[in-house]
Amino acid sequence: MYSTYEYECESAPTNRKKVLILGGGPNRIGQGIEFDYCCCHASFALQKAGYETIMMNSNPETVSTDYDTSDRLYFEPLTVEDVTNVIDLERPDGIIVQYGGQTPLKLALPIQRHLEEKKPRSASGAGFVKIWGTSPDSIDAAEDRKRFNAILEELGIEQPKGGIARSESDALSIASEVGYPVVVRPSYVLGGRAMEIVYNDEKLIKYLATAVQVDPERPVLVDKYLNDAIEIDIDALADSAGNVVIGGIMEHIEQAGIHSGDSACSLPTRTVSTRCLDIIRSWTTKLAKRLNVCGLMNCQYAIIPSGEVFLLEANPRASRTVPFVSKAIGHPLAKYASLIMSGLTLPELGFTKEVIPKHVSVKEAVLPFEKFQGCDILLGPEMRSTGEVMGIDYEFSGAFAKAQIAAGQKLPVSGTVFLSLNDLTKRHLAEMGRGFGELGFNIVATSGTAKVLQLEGIPVEPVLKIHEGRPNARDMLKNGQIQVMVITSSGDDLDSRDGLQLRRLALAYKVPIITTVDGARATMDAIKSMKNKSIEILALQDYFEPANAPQKLQAAQAAP
């Protein structure tokens, strides 16, 4: 159905028990298919539970807007006016705002005000119309920096030092207090839009002048950037009885500072200590109970080299990792959460403890750089990816290799690797040089990088930078003499010219290019795995049916 400003209405609402599910609206980077997945699973689960499901969304590309996904579909924009019109007409028992990402979440408070003012009774006669799941006030408490800080202090949960800037002088003062580098971003952002890491006063002033409008109405968050930190994503389920179960804990492969939507991640974690995992589980559980979460919650943490844990953010809603975690652990979290919102508890659903699978699942981002001529491929705090893939194996190296292949990266098992690392990452050079050397790769490197490798006794062939003359790395790429590239950016003017040219050329010639140290380590593991054994393919279900898995695995290994 579509609405119009006329007198006649053809909707003909029923008096059945029903629920209104708000979708994510138009796709954009940071908000896309993952939320569509959650909305569809909510519709399927609640239909099975006896509810009439009403979907409200305005995106023709999604499955949630297929005519047969829900009982009724309102093809409408996600605005306060349109949503409240549908609520007044349908008078559903419940409204789900948690599943469409940030768009419907922002409507939670206005919808709640509308319900308090009008007090509409549900069409089924079961009571008043209400928002199901986590209350709008709790959602606001997690979104509002001041309220959230007070909750974290009360619970004894650590977060990076920072503050809220309402003017340029505020921002400079906070940055001076916490020390550079700092992460700056507008509050209430989606997909890390306009988020940046800045290293000095000059860059901060430039950011405030060009990227955002900073004033008392539009505050900017300024937080200490944690160098060399491991980032962790965690999805949890909580019910109205106060039970909390961890859905999955994922370790990002790229370091903190790269947007979670662009970073590859592994479930279960690989390098995190039991002590840190216990802290993360404890803090997530405490926070879910304190916010009275009913449904899904996602938290992101950073662990610095000393082993200290910091909470980066908490979102009392479905996150973009829900489909990945559900497939990795074999439990449909979005379905469980929708039934929890309808009044069931976790014990009633039979989901009472965290599942730690015996296999490893790796999520990898698919990036659209080929479609955007001239744009740099470096990853940062602003999200760029437009899709994701998943690789599963009994070892991390095999799972990562499968994820790379699925994402379109053709990993070579021999040839020449080009290394060019900035000063901050040069301490990892020896490890990288030896690693690729042991895999049988020849190494070429720019002068500074080559010098470090030579001092370590690692065979390397120096190559000119583009501005130094010819033949240079660009010529080698064009001649097919380089099979894989590892470049960590220095961020200076020279890199934004020469480095950008090289990165774009690697993309054009389909040469795998890695821009982080952790990504390079994982790539070496994957290449080693590909050299030592053939890639085995199993159906997703086989990982959750141990009785069948050995025979299936033997069959896969025996296949030519």
Side-chain angles (χ1 to χ4, degrees):
M1 281 161 284
Y2 305 82
S3 70
T4 177
Y5 293 102
E6 291 294 342
Y7 299 103
E8 189 182 343
C9 179
E10 298 176 340
S11 177
T14 69
N15 292 329
R16 289 175 58 194
K17 260 196 330 179
K18 52 190 168 181
V19 60
L20 172 64
I21 301 161
L22 301 185
N27 276 4
R28 70 201 86 152
I29 289 178
Q31 180 160 319
I33 200 71
E34 306 91 336
F35 300 117
D36 184 47
Y37 166 99
C38 291
C39 290
C40 291
H41 275 250
S43 184
F44 302 150
L46 291 165
Q47 274 176 336
K48 217 171 178 181
Y51 288 88
E52 178 182 348
T53 57
I54 304 162
M55 188 71 65
M56 185 165 175
N57 202 1
S58 58
N59 188 347
E61 294 181 332
T62 55
V63 183
S64 62
T65 55
D66 281 0
Y67 68 91
D68 55 356
T69 295
S70 301
D71 295 299
R72 295 165 80 77
L73 167 68
Y74 284 89
F75 200 87
E76 295 294 302
L78 276 301
T79 67
V80 176
E81 180 189 355
D82 290 284
V83 174
T84 52
N85 282 344
V86 172
I87 291 169
D88 293 343
L89 179 68
E90 286 283 355
R91 294 182 293 126
D93 294 78
I95 304 157
I96 292 179
V97 298
Q98 278 187 28
Y99 277 5
Q102 209 69 23
T103 304
L105 215 62
K106 284 180 179 171
L107 300 175
L109 278 174
I111 292 170
Q112 184 64 30
R113 282 195 289 269
H114 175 81
L115 295 178
E116 284 168 3
E117 187 188 316
K118 293 278 183 82
K119 294 191 169 48
R121 286 194 169 273
S122 63
S124 68
F128 291 102
V129 177
K130 53 184 186 226
I131 292 175
W132 275 4
T134 309
S135 73
D137 183 61
S138 291
I139 291 168
D140 185 64
E143 294 269 356
D144 185 298
R145 185 60 177 259
K146 210 170 182 181
R147 292 182 69 188
F148 191 57
N149 286 355
I151 289 169
L152 295 189
E153 212 165 292
E154 175 197 320
L155 297 175
I157 295 173
E158 295 289 327
Q159 62 176 330
K161 286 182 180 156
I164 307 164
R166 290 186 165 81
S167 65
E168 185 185 288
S169 58
D170 277 0
L172 290 167
S173 163
I174 295 163
S176 160
E177 195 181 314
V178 302
Y180 286 103
V182 292
V183 179
V184 280
R185 63 189 186 277
S187 54
Y188 293 85
V189 295
L190 175 74
R193 277 185 296 175
M195 192 189 288
E196 250 178 63
I197 299 164
V198 297
Y199 292 85
N200 53 45
D201 283 356
E202 185 191 344
K203 290 268 172 75
L204 180 56
I205 291 164
K206 187 181 173 188
Y207 169 85
L208 295 172
T210 57
V212 295
Q213 185 180 349
V214 55
D215 61 37
E217 293 300 308
R218 295 183 181 84
V220 168
L221 308 180
V222 182
D223 294 310
K224 177 71 180 164
Y225 171 61
L226 305 172
N227 275 314
D228 290 332
I230 294 167
E231 193 164 338
I232 299 293
D233 243 297
I234 178 168
D235 282 318
L237 275 171
D239 64 24
S240 54
N243 301 303
V244 180
V245 176
I246 305 300
I249 305 178
M250 295 147 274
E251 178 179 350
H252 289 206
I253 288 156
E254 284 81 9
Q255 72 276 13
I258 287 172
H259 193 280
S260 59
D262 286 353
S263 181
C265 71
S266 151
L267 190 161
T269 57
R270 296 186 304 134
T271 65
V272 183
S273 69
T274 306
R275 183 189 71 84
C276 290
L277 287 173
D278 287 345
I279 290 170
I280 287 165
R281 288 184 180 107
S282 161
W283 284 1
T284 304
T285 304
K286 279 201 290 189
L287 196 53
K289 288 182 175 180
R290 174 63 181 77
L291 287 170
N292 296 315
V293 170
C294 181
L296 284 157
M297 181 174 87
N298 170 267
C299 296
Q300 286 164 24
Y301 293 91
I303 303 168
I304 60 174
S306 65
E308 282 181 89
V309 181
F310 296 93
L311 175 71
L312 299 178
E313 62 175 293
N315 295 300
R317 59 167 170 83
S319 75
R320 68 175 61 80
T321 49
V322 165
F324 168 71
V325 175
S326 299
K327 289 176 172 69
I329 67 169
H331 286 268
L333 299 184
K335 283 185 177 176
Y336 290 171
S338 58
L339 294 169
I340 285 167
M341 288 186 245
S342 77
L344 294 181
T345 63
L346 284 160
E348 283 170 338
L349 292 170
F351 188 64
T352 53
K353 63 176 185 175
E354 180 184 352
V355 176
I356 315 261
K358 290 188 169 62
H359 54 269
V360 178
S361 300
V362 169
K363 173 180 81 79
E364 179 58 285
V366 177
L367 297 150
F369 297 126
E370 283 183 10
K371 308 285 183 198
F372 296 98
Q373 285 188 1
C375 110
D376 206 335
I377 69 162
L378 292 172
L379 301 177
E382 185 164 4
M383 189 172 160
R384 308 286 193 87
S385 72
T386 49
E388 60 189 35
V389 293
M390 180 172 177
I392 309 182
D393 200 89
Y394 286 104
E395 291 173 352
F396 169 77
S397 54
F400 187 79
K402 287 177 182 179
Q404 295 309 302
I405 293 164
Q409 283 269 49
K410 293 188 176 121
L411 294 182
V413 290
S414 63
T416 299
V417 59
F418 171 83
L419 297 178
S420 178
L421 272 69
N422 64 23
D423 292 339
L424 287 171
T425 52
K426 274 199 169 63
R427 64 184 188 279
H428 302 291
L429 250 179
E431 171 202 349
M432 217 168 285
R434 287 196 187 94
F436 277 108
E438 284 164 12
L439 290 170
F441 282 82
N442 300 317
I443 298 169
V444 295
T446 47
S447 53
T449 303
K451 211 170 282 178
V452 175
L453 291 170
Q454 284 163 345
L455 288 171
E456 292 285 345
I458 296 164
V460 57
E461 182 192 329
V463 61
L464 296 174
K465 291 180 179 175
I466 293 172
H467 72 278
E468 292 172 342
R470 304 182 76 167
N472 54 41
R474 182 173 60 189
D475 298 320
M476 291 187 77
L477 258 179
K478 285 181 174 177
N479 295 334
Q481 294 168 282
I482 293 172
Q483 279 65 52
V484 61
M485 302 187 84
V486 181
I487 303 177
T488 59
S489 167
S490 58
D492 59 17
D493 291 339
L494 186 61
D495 178 78
S496 62
R497 289 196 311 274
D498 279 16
L500 172 59
Q501 268 194 56
L502 271 184
R503 291 188 284 271
R504 288 299 309 182
L505 205 60
L507 192 66
Y509 282 92
K510 303 278 193 287
V511 173
I513 177 160
I514 300 136
T515 58
T516 64
V517 169
D518 302 291
R521 285 195 187 109
T523 301
M524 288 191 288
D525 281 348
I527 292 171
K528 189 176 180 182
S529 170
M530 288 166 70
K531 283 173 82 85
N532 291 342
K533 61 175 186 174
S534 60
I535 287 175
E536 294 135 1
I537 307 298
L538 290 181
L540 181 64
Q541 293 87 335
D542 295 335
Y543 288 98
F544 302 104
E545 293 169 15
N548 298 339
Q551 296 96 313
K552 293 271 178 84
L553 197 55
Q554 282 164 10
Q557 286 166 337

